[in-house]
């Protein structure tokens, strides 16, 4: 007679001490798990719902400015240091870890137009409406000493923006012309111009450090090479661009914030068409900044919202807003890829989480494994209608919602009119023009 019996070894499932985790037997054969997809779908749905439940992006508010915040400067070596400038010429240096102001001094008469640090972070450069370039020490003065600049340079023209080279002791300013300066000289090393009245934003490429670009008042974007004596190329858009930011991981890509409520990502190798148009804002976009990974960027707008975009998608991943926040003028992404800073007209600086539902503080290894597992499930089932609906739903202010409806109605009307004209015209007499081609008016070399 054949007898079958169950034999269990206690060493396989009994804990030696009560501090160990329970041992759970697992069978990795997919043929023996017919309900695996159903279980994973439920887990992905629950993870998506919990993500929206714990989505609380607002971290803190930094108050102290007596006028609107106009620009930011990020320290290249210290994650906890942020410098801000305001409309009344005041500079404040913040300790983000303790959320307090370390230094406060009046640097210029009128607006602070730009702030940047030197490559090693020891010097701070500021420009304002008074045509002055001031160099400050990044270290606070002694107790009985006043705040005095290390050097003051008087420019011959109005200066509207400043950007520092990432590797060399060189910085660029723009205004009536684009000027290249050496830190150790009081006169510009090189002056570049291309028949434009005003340049209002300049940015050095963080990878190809000899390349820089400017946004001009004639709706153009101009590319320069500091090794050359003349500008390289220029493209003219349908509306003016307010700010420009280079991708820190892809040397040839940059994104501009435009007055027509959109952002445009360009490839310098083929400027005739933008790589991607980023929608969703309902007012002029005032500032843009990339994350250190180069995969995402954040934008600020006059519609009182901050939006986060993936570089390869046209619509925003997330939108941040508060009841008290007014026109957002400047925005910055922290060097550790975890926080976003926004400055607005009502004199406040706000700190946001880059991922709205991310847990702040210490994360245990098992907790981190669970988060990674949930992220993998959400990515696997992202195209499912129910999960997609929950993941993309956002509450926006009423004025933004109404403006979105008006813009959608206007766009539908234009498309319908164009379709009717094409329908009642001769074949091929009304060509199809893509949205990307409508943006660029012409390219000059």
């Amino acid at each position: 007679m054949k007898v079958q019996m169950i034999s269990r070894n206690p060493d396989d499932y009994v804990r030696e001490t009560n501090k160990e985790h329970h041992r759970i037997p697992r069978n990795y054969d997919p043929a023996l798990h017919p309900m695996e997809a159903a279980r994973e779908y439920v887990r992905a749905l629950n993870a998506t719902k919990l993500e929206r439940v714990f989505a609380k992006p607002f971290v803190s508010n930094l108050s102290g400015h007596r006028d609107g915040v106009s620009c930011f400067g990020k320290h290249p070596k210290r994650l906890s240091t942020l410098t801000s400038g305001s409309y009344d010429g005041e500079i404040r240096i913040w300790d983000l870890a303790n959320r307090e102001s370390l230094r406060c001094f009046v640097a210029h008469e009128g607006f602070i137009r730009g702030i940047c640090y030197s490559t090693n972070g020891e010097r701070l450069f500021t420009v304002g409406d008074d045509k002055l370039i001031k160099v400050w020490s990044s270290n606070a003065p002694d107790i009985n000493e006043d705040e005095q600049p290390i050097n003051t340079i008087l420019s011959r023209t109005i200066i509207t923006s400043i950007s520092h080279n990432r590797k060399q002791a060189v910085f660029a300013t723009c205004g009536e012309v684009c000027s290249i300066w050496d830190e150790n000289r009081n006169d510009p090393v090189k002056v570049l111009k291309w028949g434009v009245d005003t340049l209002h934003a300049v940015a050095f490429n963080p990878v190809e450090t000899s390349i820089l670009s400017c946004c001009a008042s004639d709706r153009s974007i101009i590319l320069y090479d500091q090794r050359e004596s003349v500008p390289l190329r220029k493209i003219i858009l349908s509306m003016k661009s307010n700010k420009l930011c280079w991708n820190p991981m892809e040397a040839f890509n940059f994104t501009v914030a435009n007055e027509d409520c959109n952002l445009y990502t360009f490839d310098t190798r083929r400027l005739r068409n933008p790589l991607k148009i980023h929608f969703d804002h309902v007012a002029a976009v005032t500032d843009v900044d990339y994350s250190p990974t180069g995969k995402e960027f954040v934008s600020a707008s006059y519609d009182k919202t901050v939006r986060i975009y993936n570089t390869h998608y046209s619509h925003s991943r997330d939108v941040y807003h508060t009841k008290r926040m007014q026109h957002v003028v400047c925005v910055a992404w922290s060097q550790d890829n975890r926080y976003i800073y926004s400055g607005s007209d009502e004199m406040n600086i706000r700190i946001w989480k880059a991922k709205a539902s991310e847990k702040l503080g210490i994360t245990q290894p098992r907790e981190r494994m669970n988060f990674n597992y949930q992220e993998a499930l959400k990515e696997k089932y992202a195209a499912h209608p129910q999960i997609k609906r929950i993941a993309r739903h956002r509450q926006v202010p009423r004025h933004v919602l109404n403006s979105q409806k008006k813009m959608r109605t206007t766009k539908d009307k234009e498309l319908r009119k164009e379709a009717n004209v094409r329908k009642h015209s001769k074949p091929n007499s009304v060509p199809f023009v893509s949205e990307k081609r409508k943006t660029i008016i012409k390219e000059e070399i």
Side-chain angles (χ1 to χ4, degrees):
M1 184 176 67
K2 190 175 182 181
V3 178
Q4 292 183 353
M5 50 189 304
I6 298 174
S7 176
R8 290 187 180 144
N9 185 1
D11 294 337
D12 295 336
Y13 59 89
V14 176
R15 296 183 295 175
E16 293 183 3
T17 64
N18 59 357
K19 294 184 179 180
E20 290 185 357
H21 299 304
H22 287 279
R23 298 179 183 179
I24 302 174
R26 293 188 62 186
N27 191 332
Y28 292 94
D29 186 2
L32 299 179
H33 296 275
M35 300 297 291
E36 180 185 10
R39 279 199 306 271
E40 285 187 347
Y41 167 73
V42 173
R43 290 173 184 171
L45 184 63
N46 291 336
T48 306
K49 290 179 180 178
L50 287 174
E51 181 188 17
R52 301 314 312 150
V53 168
F54 292 114
K56 297 177 181 178
F58 182 73
V59 177
S60 178
N61 179 65
L62 304 177
S63 59
H65 280 293
R66 292 183 290 271
D67 209 337
V69 183
S70 60
C71 57
F72 285 139
K74 294 185 290 186
H75 198 286
K77 303 293 184 181
R78 303 176 196 158
L79 290 175
S80 61
T81 301
L82 179 72
T83 306
S84 61
S86 65
Y87 296 164
D88 59 356
E90 184 186 56
I91 296 287
R92 280 186 179 266
I93 299 178
W94 303 89
D95 180 5
L96 299 176
N98 298 317
R99 301 171 189 175
E100 62 182 9
S101 176
L102 297 177
R103 296 166 61 188
C104 172
F105 53 91
V106 176
H108 296 273
E109 295 179 4
F111 273 46
I112 300 292
R113 293 295 180 179
I115 300 172
C116 70
Y117 277 91
S118 61
T119 306
N120 54 13
E122 295 180 357
R123 291 185 175 186
L124 175 68
F125 299 83
T126 62
V127 295
D129 282 348
D130 51 7
K131 295 186 180 180
L132 295 178
I133 305 171
K134 292 190 177 183
V135 186
W136 309 81
S137 173
S138 61
N139 298 320
D142 294 335
I143 297 175
N144 296 326
E145 291 186 4
D146 295 332
E147 290 280 1
Q148 294 294 334
I150 299 174
N151 188 17
T152 301
I153 303 171
L154 177 60
S155 174
R156 298 178 181 177
T157 60
I158 295 174
I159 300 176
T160 56
S161 181
I162 186 171
S163 179
H164 201 283
N165 193 302
R166 191 169 184 175
K167 296 180 181 178
Q168 304 172 7
V170 173
F171 63 92
T173 61
C174 69
E176 296 178 14
V177 293
C178 180
S179 303
I180 310 296
W181 303 76
D182 192 310
E183 287 186 11
N184 303 315
R185 297 181 59 181
N186 288 349
D187 291 320
V189 178
K190 190 173 295 184
V191 176
L192 302 168
K193 59 176 73 175
W194 195 341
V196 181
D197 294 336
T198 307
L199 304 170
H200 51 263
V202 63
F204 262 108
N205 191 320
V207 184
E208 293 290 339
T209 54
S210 61
I211 305 296
L212 67 153
S213 56
C214 290
C215 299
S217 59
D218 64 346
R219 302 167 296 164
S220 64
I221 300 169
I222 307 173
L223 298 181
Y224 300 98
D225 190 335
Q226 69 174 15
R227 298 167 296 187
E228 300 288 338
S229 58
V230 294
L232 298 177
R233 306 171 81 181
K234 179 166 79 169
I235 53 171
I236 300 177
L237 279 66
S238 57
M239 293 191 73
K240 189 183 79 169
S241 298
N242 292 319
K243 212 73 172 185
L244 183 144
C245 186
W246 291 90
N247 191 319
M249 302 302 288
E250 298 175 352
F252 36 79
N253 290 349
F254 64 89
T255 300
V256 293
N258 204 270
E259 284 280 339
D260 63 356
C261 314
N262 299 330
L263 296 105
Y264 300 94
T265 298
F266 288 93
D267 189 334
T268 54
R269 299 168 297 183
R270 191 171 182 272
L271 289 172
R272 190 64 188 90
N273 293 327
L275 284 178
K276 187 68 68 174
I277 303 177
H278 308 277
F279 303 98
D280 286 346
H281 278 298
V282 296
V285 188
T286 54
D287 200 0
V288 60
D289 191 27
Y290 265 93
S291 68
T293 61
K295 296 180 180 179
E296 294 179 322
F297 62 86
V298 60
S299 64
S301 173
Y302 251 49
D303 61 8
K304 307 176 186 178
T305 63
V306 174
R307 289 186 180 269
I308 303 173
Y309 292 85
N310 187 304
T311 54
H312 301 296
Y313 292 95
S314 295
H315 294 279
S316 60
R317 167 175 71 81
D318 219 331
V319 54
Y320 296 161
H321 56 87
T322 65
K323 288 184 178 179
R324 295 184 179 182
M325 188 161 67
Q326 297 302 309
H327 303 314
V328 188
V329 180
C330 53
V331 73
W333 201 306
S334 68
Q335 303 282 17
D336 61 352
N337 197 34
R338 297 194 66 186
Y339 300 100
I340 289 169
Y341 316 121
S342 66
S344 48
D345 273 349
E346 87 293 348
M347 304 174 286
N348 286 321
I349 298 170
R350 290 177 174 83
I351 304 175
W352 312 84
K353 289 189 285 188
K355 293 183 180 179
S357 59
E358 183 182 19
K359 179 188 174 183
L360 298 180
I362 299 173
T363 305
Q364 298 298 329
R366 292 191 74 206
E367 196 174 12
R368 174 52 51 194
M369 287 178 61
N370 183 42
F371 288 154
N372 294 338
Y373 176 62
Q374 290 181 353
E375 289 294 328
L377 286 178
K378 286 186 288 187
E379 184 178 355
K380 182 178 180 179
Y381 292 91
H384 193 280
Q386 189 74 357
I387 293 177
K388 187 177 181 180
R389 181 186 65 83
I390 296 172
R392 72 181 181 183
H393 178 73
R394 296 292 184 278
Q395 298 286 353
V396 295
R398 186 175 296 276
H399 69 92
V400 174
L401 186 65
N402 293 337
S403 299
Q404 285 177 340
K405 291 179 180 178
K406 289 180 181 178
M407 292 175 66
R408 196 176 298 117
T409 303
T410 303
K411 192 170 185 179
D412 292 342
K413 176 186 173 183
E414 292 175 354
L415 292 175
R416 188 167 59 250
K417 180 178 179 180
E418 183 180 349
N420 289 336
V421 170
R422 187 176 291 108
K423 180 179 178 181
H424 297 285
S425 302
K426 293 181 179 180
N428 301 325
S429 62
V430 182
F432 287 93
V433 181
S434 67
E435 196 72 25
K436 293 181 179 181
R437 283 193 171 274
K438 294 178 183 177
T439 305
I440 309 298
I441 295 178
K442 67 176 180 177
E443 178 182 4
E444 297 180 10
I445 299 176

